[in-house]
Amino acid sequence: MGNKDDMSAESEDGQLAAAVLDEYMRGFQERNPQLRVFSAHLHMDEATPHLHIDFVPFTTGSKRGLDTRVSLKQALAAQGFKGGTRGDTEWSQWVRSEKEQLAIVMERHGIEWEDKGTHDKHLSVLDFKKEQRAKEIAELEAVKAKKQGQVEQQERRLKELAPAVRNMEQLAAQFSDDPERILPEPGPLESAKSYREKKAKPLLAKIVKVLRSLYRAYVELKGKYERLQGDYGRAREGNERLSDRLQEVKLENKALRGTVADFERVKRAFGPEEVERAVEDAKRREAAEKEQKKAKRKFSRWAR
């Protein structure tokens, strides 16, 4: 509030600013029942007085997991701040509301709020979330395309290897037959020793050599084929998971856009002022209900 020229921490006006910030802070928790304050510090050791508020946003009544969960979006929604357009999110609505509360306190101390027309250029929580989801969709699309390419490559390689594997199996079966069935007939007047040394042994040696080389090639090729089948299965499974996640993210983004559009329709139908009044009324009712519940819990603990 102010600057070093008109609200210096060491000046009399600076002490007034400190009093305003202190009064503003005393009503912060009551105004924001879903923002649990665990630390608040008023600093007077720098150019101007300024207030630090640390809180945990939470929501109750969750249907999944824990009943009480940390969520800024849901916490602000429970206080009546519903996300609208990109520039009118839960966060920006809440910030405007808190600025108005601070202006009311300032007015009680004779300080007029000069609105300079500036705005927070940082993304709100909802806008950031929507932008991150858009990035996630793009990343998932890229990963999916890459995985799809890997799947198609594995399919092509499997189709190329499958005939070779079948041929190798046939060759291995053929050369595994009884060697006596493929031995040449002995010539006329050929001795057994001559037949053995000149025909049988060389042929058997060739068969053994071919069989060994074929078997090694067969085992290597079959192992490669099986590994490719495993890689293909994993790539296909990963691609299916990516497709499911991509669909989920797209549906969430669509739901967010629908929520924004619905809020804009409500504002157009009833007018921004009427909607804001309804929101304020709802916030007051919710705050009153919270206080009643809190009082009942305190009484219940005392009674026990």
Side-chain angles (χ1 to χ4, degrees):
M1 188 170 60
N3 54 50
K4 62 181 180 62
D5 297 323
D6 54 26
M7 286 286 181
S8 172
E10 298 178 354
S11 67
E12 183 177 345
D13 288 334
Q15 298 300 315
L16 178 59
V20 171
L21 291 174
D22 181 70
E23 183 177 335
Y24 163 79
M25 178 58 216
R26 292 182 185 279
F28 184 88
Q29 185 66 89
E30 184 178 356
R31 287 192 307 274
N32 300 282
Q34 301 299 127
L35 308 179
R36 180 64 177 178
V37 177
F38 63 88
S39 176
H41 300 279
L42 179 61
H43 286 186
M44 300 292 291
D45 57 349
E46 296 181 27
T48 58
H50 56 279
L51 181 65
H52 293 269
I53 306 174
D54 299 313
F55 58 81
V56 177
F58 70 94
T59 181
T60 57
S62 175
K63 296 181 180 179
R64 294 185 300 174
L66 297 175
D67 176 77
T68 303
R69 301 172 63 187
V70 175
S71 172
L72 180 61
K73 175 181 173 65
Q74 297 300 327
L76 295 180
Q79 294 184 185
F81 300 102
K82 303 294 184 178
T85 62
R86 183 177 179 84
D88 192 33
T89 62
E90 294 95 342
W91 174 260
S92 62
Q93 292 173 23
W94 176 76
V95 168
R96 285 199 303 272
S97 175
E98 286 300 307
K99 284 182 178 180
E100 291 169 0
Q101 293 297 325
L102 179 58
I104 292 172
V105 179
M106 290 166 59
E107 188 176 0
R108 283 201 293 267
H109 288 265
I111 304 173
E112 183 179 354
W113 177 21
E114 180 184 1
D115 188 353
K116 296 183 179 294
T118 58
H119 61 280
D120 186 7
K121 295 182 180 180
H122 296 289
L123 288 175
S124 69
V125 173
L126 180 58
D127 288 336
F128 179 75
K129 187 175 181 181
K130 288 164 66 178
E131 185 174 282
Q132 290 300 107
R133 283 181 177 170
K135 290 180 180 178
E136 185 179 357
I137 289 175
E139 291 172 358
L140 286 173
E141 290 281 10
V143 174
K144 181 183 177 182
K146 182 179 179 181
K147 291 291 185 183
Q148 185 64 39
Q150 292 176 353
V151 169
E152 292 173 356
Q153 182 183 11
Q154 298 290 5
E155 287 178 340
R156 287 194 300 269
R157 296 179 68 184
L158 284 172
K159 289 178 181 178
E160 292 171 359
L161 285 174
V165 171
R166 288 194 294 269
N167 292 337
M168 294 295 282
E169 290 175 346
Q170 293 172 2
L171 286 171
Q174 290 174 5
F175 280 95
S176 297
D177 288 342
D178 186 357
E180 292 184 0
R181 293 175 55 188
I182 57 175
L183 285 174
E185 292 292 332
L189 304 176
E190 186 176 14
S191 66
K193 182 177 180 182
S194 175
Y195 178 81
R196 178 175 179 273
E197 295 296 330
K198 294 180 180 181
K199 294 182 178 179
K201 288 181 67 176
L203 179 60
L204 287 174
K206 288 180 181 180
I207 291 174
V208 170
K209 184 177 180 180
V210 171
L211 281 174
R212 285 176 177 172
S213 63
L214 283 174
Y215 182 74
R216 284 194 298 268
Y218 166 73
V219 170
E220 181 180 353
L221 191 58
K222 190 174 181 66
K224 188 175 183 180
Y225 178 70
E226 291 173 350
R227 287 193 298 273
L228 281 173
Q229 282 185 313
D231 292 341
Y232 169 72
R234 286 189 292 272
R236 189 178 183 86
E237 183 180 351
N239 202 30
E240 290 174 354
R241 287 198 299 269
L242 282 172
S243 297
D244 292 341
R245 177 54 185 157
L246 181 60
Q247 188 62 25
E248 289 176 5
V249 173
K250 286 182 176 179
L251 290 174
E252 290 174 1
N253 238 5
K254 184 177 179 181
L256 284 171
R257 290 195 297 271
T259 301
V260 170
D262 288 344
F263 186 74
E264 287 301 307
R265 293 188 186 100
V266 172
K267 289 177 68 176
R268 287 196 299 269
F270 296 98
E273 296 81 6
E274 188 66 28
V275 171
E276 289 178 5
R277 282 196 294 271
V279 168
E280 290 298 324
D281 291 341
K283 286 166 56 179
R284 284 192 289 271
R285 287 196 300 272
E286 290 174 1
E289 291 174 0
K290 293 286 183 183
E291 290 299 323
Q292 290 177 358
K293 291 180 180 179
K294 186 186 295 184
K296 287 181 179 180
R297 287 197 296 269
K298 287 183 179 179
F299 178 76
S300 177
R301 287 197 296 269
W302 178 82
R304 288 198 297 269

